[in-house]
Amino acid sequence: MAALIGLLASIPFLKGIPEGGDTFLHFYRLVQLDTLVGQGIIFSRWAPDLAYGYGYPIFNYYAPFSYYLAEFLHLLGLDLISAFLATFIVAFVGAAVFTYLWIRDLFGDIAGLVAAAMYTLSPYLMIDALQRGALAEHLALSLLPLILYAFRRLIVLGGWTYALIATLSYACLLLTHNITALIFTPILLAYILVISWQSKKQSASVWSGTMRSALPCLGFLILAIGITAFFWIPALFERELVQIIQSYGPIAFDFKTNFQNLAASLAPPFIWDPNLINRNVPIALSLFGLFLAFIGTVGTFRFYQWGDQRANVIFAAAVSLLSVFMTASLSEVVWNVLPLIAFVQFPWRFLGMATLFVALLAGAGADSLLRLTRPWPRLQTAIPAVLVGLVILYILPWQFADYSTTPPEATISASIAYEREFGTIGTTSTGEYLPVNVKQLPSPDPLIESAISRQLIEESLPSAAIIKEAIFKPLEYRLTVDSPEAFLAEFNTFFFEGWRAYIDGHLTSVRFSEPDGLIEVEVPAGEHQLLVQFESTTIRDIAKTLSFISLAALIIALIVWGKRPYRSPGYEALTPNSPTIPELGLIFIVLVSIFAGKWLFLDDNDSAIRRSR
């Protein structure tokens, strides 16, 4: 049923390509990755066809896992556009299923289904997918409940299975979206400590018991960080090689200009106007979710003794309140002192964290309502379907989208044309990954459409020079040149650390032109073989070595530490409350009826939630 909730939440992606602000940026990154994979290059930090075809080190800085997932779906047989849209659908289904698993452990199946609906069908996730088209962040948000579920089970049940799931899911987060990982990691650390303390609070020594329970989790967390070192170490320590300040320096991306007040974070449903160009879709929490969260907070203290449920509810309430606080200008003093937080750009991103933990509280609210209505079995049977239905009805205005009238071409030339038309250099909004030596973009003519244009610039050759052989690959240029005089060979490629040049097999220096930062190599007179190729650097080699060591350490740790599952002394097993057939039937009817009504009527006709002024 949770998977069905995720599928129905993703219905807008079955109707076409929603025109989110970043949708086509992510799509053309996928086009670049697919082009590289098609040429046998599985992972490249350098995207040779981006930035108008002059090359762009985007995969050295921007986490690539979401594009690899889409590429995997493409290799399974989907065309590139379908694979791209399917990745959003996978994320919706994952968010629903993983939230269900996490909350079911705490409050039972019905609570898990309500929480899954509340998280998956939330304003934030809908805006992220439909209005922003933020593929990487959307996929990252779907991983968060899986990470919390796995680490909690690792603490209370142990076993190598949960250790592996916890490590790999957190590693996937680090490789999916840098900013979400930055925000979520402190929350995860706090959650591990809280659950460890709760599971050991009956021990003779609470502190030592807590640390013995938490340390294995922290160890696997460190291993996940180590496994992904090949990506994040260069991204962090090679920031000075690119114009990274453009990602948070301009006023539109400065956190100081993007705070929102409490009224905005609690904005009610709105009327979707299909004819508006600059539509204001509120980035807010679900008021119905907050209502259920209040019931859940009060109900947990009424129906549960101090234990796992209360600890999770208190933690979720604290994170939710803190997250809302971080969206408001009152928190600016905190933003000014936290390291790296400027990269978050938009304080309202914290509503993604609040949304997840409000879903936990809403699940507790559903459980409390079930307990309150035990004397009335018929009412109790209807409550799950009513709650899920209200969740869906509340979110309907956020489920509308503008669609692209023509599907994008999955070609490099279309990618470059899109960059030129909208000024999205390298499929980024501000060109933040342009090498620092690029002070001025080269002339846009002629249009660079394929690898053949990355050849030696003919104007840099002496008139009497002869190119006897020329082989141009995405990351490697080979030429045999015969020239009566020395010359400075210039290539249609931006210089970035890692490009190396060899003349007759001997390493030579690489320069860059001023002010456009193109690769230049001094070639002596005579006939010579010139090789220019993109290689690794010392810091990237260190990072890769650390990743391999961490992967080996994980395997060893799983073998050594993977003892038989155990049940923590402080763990309280839930009494199963599996939904009955009537309950499941009613939920199914409500789900299908509302979404069918939206698809068949609300999407294309005026109504109380969709009309033009």
mmCIF file of all heavy atoms in Angstrom, residues 139 505 558:
data_model
loop_
_atom_site.group_PDB
_atom_site.id
_atom_site.type_symbol
_atom_site.label_atom_id
_atom_site.label_comp_id
_atom_site.label_asym_id
_atom_site.label_seq_id
_atom_site.Cartn_x
_atom_site.Cartn_y
_atom_site.Cartn_z
ATOM 1 N N LEU A 139 15.630 12.969 -4.746
ATOM 2 C CA LEU A 139 16.072 11.604 -4.459
ATOM 3 C C LEU A 139 16.716 11.527 -3.081
ATOM 4 O O LEU A 139 16.516 10.552 -2.343
ATOM 5 C CB LEU A 139 17.056 11.137 -5.534
ATOM 6 C CG LEU A 139 17.573 9.701 -5.405
ATOM 7 C CD1 LEU A 139 16.423 8.703 -5.478
ATOM 8 C CD2 LEU A 139 18.607 9.396 -6.483
ATOM 9 N N GLY A 505 55.930 11.791 -25.784
ATOM 10 C CA GLY A 505 55.935 10.962 -24.582
ATOM 11 C C GLY A 505 56.502 11.622 -23.357
ATOM 12 O O GLY A 505 56.513 11.018 -22.281
ATOM 13 N N LEU A 558 31.891 -5.959 8.691
ATOM 14 C CA LEU A 558 30.654 -6.729 8.592
ATOM 15 C C LEU A 558 30.889 -8.189 8.958
ATOM 16 O O LEU A 558 30.031 -8.836 9.557
ATOM 17 C CB LEU A 558 30.083 -6.620 7.178
ATOM 18 C CG LEU A 558 29.544 -5.241 6.777
ATOM 19 C CD1 LEU A 558 29.152 -5.245 5.309
ATOM 20 C CD2 LEU A 558 28.353 -4.852 7.643
#
